[in-house]
């Protein structure tokens, strides 16, 4: 899916793409410890826990995207699945007219050491790649409390 397709879908769904900062917080901020994790589950890579290249190599299978939540331990402190692997995700830079946009995280084609929450790449906004997807967010209504 391209960046432009992702933003159109989000708008249709009365949502938006997360900003890079929102994505990183959802992926790796540990509220209880008051610190940022390298991976959604903690500071160190664990090849069996995320859809990255090591998992598929160990199982002698061709790497591919999987359904959300198949890797149950690839879960952030906020309860978001697949932020340490599976597919990279488009994030908003606040200017949809740019020819290049940012993707965050790693995917099934990356080694886990490169699939950190801080990982970012620039991609053409109109380009589609099998290993790039997105997630939508909605702003809280006044008075609503966020989930930690």
């Amino acid at each position: 899916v391209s960046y432009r397709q992702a933003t159109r879908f989000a708008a249709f769904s009365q949502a938006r793409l997360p900003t890079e900062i929102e994505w990183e917080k959802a992926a790796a901020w540990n509220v209880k410890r008051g610190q940022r994790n390298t991976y959604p589950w903690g500071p160190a890579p664990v090849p069996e826990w995320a859809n990255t290249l090591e998992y598929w190599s160990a199982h002698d299978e061709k790497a591919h995207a999987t359904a959300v939540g198949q890797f149950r331990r690839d879960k952030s402190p906020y309860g978001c699945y697949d932020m340490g692997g599976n597919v990279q995700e488009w994030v908003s830079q606040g200017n949809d007219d740019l020819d290049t946009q940012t993707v965050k995280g790693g995917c099934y084609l990356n080694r886990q050491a490169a699939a950190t929450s801080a990982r970012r790449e620039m991609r053409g906004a109109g380009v589609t790649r099998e290993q790039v997807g997105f997630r939508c967010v909605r702003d809280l209504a006044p008075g609503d409390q966020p989930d930690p």
Side-chain angles (χ1 to χ4, degrees), residues 47-66:
E48 290 292 313
W49 287 12
N51 186 358
T52 55
L53 195 56
E54 289 92 343
Y55 176 85
W56 298 109
S57 295
H59 291 85
D60 201 27
E61 293 183 50
K62 183 180 178 199
H64 63 275
T66 58

Side-chain angles (χ1 to χ4, degrees), residues 12-28:
F12 173 79
S13 301
Q14 298 179 324
R16 61 180 174 79
L17 299 183
T19 65
E20 188 168 0
I21 292 169
E22 289 170 330
W23 192 96
E24 281 198 39
K25 182 176 181 180

Side-chain angles (χ1 to χ4, degrees), residues 25 58 68-69 112 118 139:
K25 182 176 181 180
V68 172
Q112 198 170 83
D139 294 314

Side-chain angles (χ1 to χ4, degrees), residues 10 36 41 45 49 52 56 62-63 91-92 94 105 111 129 136 141 147:
R36 183 179 158 278
W41 55 82
W49 287 12
T52 55
W56 298 109
K62 183 180 178 199
V91 294
S92 174
R111 295 213 170 273
R129 293 276 189 264
C136 294
D147 293 328

Side-chain angles (χ1 to χ4, degrees), residues 2-15 17 96:
S2 74
Y3 177 82
R4 293 183 180 115
Q5 292 168 329
T7 57
R8 282 195 298 268
F9 179 87
F12 173 79
S13 301
Q14 298 179 324
L17 299 183
D96 292 341

